[in-house]
Amino acid sequence: MPAEAEQAHLRAAARQQTSINKWNGLVLFPGITCAAISIVWGNGRSSGPGDQSLWESNLALAQLLLFAGLFLIALATVQIARRASRKGKHVRLLRAYGVPLDSLGVKIQAPEQG
């Protein structure tokens, strides 16, 4: 494989990985947080007889948080899967040409001899 083509595929795989990382941090994590808050709010506190959970005290807010979280999780999952598929094409091609890559698709540098 020509060096220019190898570098182009490595850059493309790195761009896709950066995009995956952004979707993980900016969409998936807030989605999980919203869903988790709606589920556990009120259950982790002193849980006395007068301590209501979010579902008992404000049903509309609990449902909004849960559905917003599930929507963000679904959106992120689809986008991450699309980007991983695009990255996989470049990584498979590089591996087919014998380019040593780690599990994230980053080129493993050969140790210098000298």
Side-chain angles (χ1 to χ4, degrees):
M1 172 180 277
E4 300 86 30
E6 179 180 321
Q7 289 303 316
H9 285 287
L10 287 170
R11 282 192 305 272
R15 274 194 312 271
Q16 293 301 324
Q17 184 62 48
T18 301
S19 181
I20 290 169
N21 293 345
K22 288 178 184 177
W23 276 95
N24 276 332
L26 298 176
V27 181
L28 184 62
F29 180 72
I32 293 171
T33 303
C34 286
I37 285 173
S38 74
I39 293 170
V40 299
W41 189 329
N43 293 333
R45 297 181 297 179
S46 60
S47 293
D51 194 17
Q52 295 181 335
S53 72
L54 179 64
W55 287 92
E56 295 167 348
S57 63
N58 195 341
L59 182 62
L61 178 60
Q63 289 174 339
L64 177 69
L65 280 172
L66 181 62
F67 292 133
L70 292 176
F71 173 74
L72 289 174
I73 291 168
L75 178 68
T77 301
V78 169
Q79 293 299 323
I80 289 169
R82 286 179 62 210
R83 282 157 175 75
S85 170
R86 290 181 195 157
K87 177 185 173 190
K89 294 175 186 175
H90 297 287
V91 171
R92 283 191 300 274
L93 180 69
L94 289 167
R95 285 194 178 131
Y97 277 96
V99 177
L101 302 173
D102 65 7
S103 61
L104 294 176
V106 178
K107 185 175 180 180
I108 299 172
Q109 300 296 327
E112 294 183 23
Q113 302 200 1

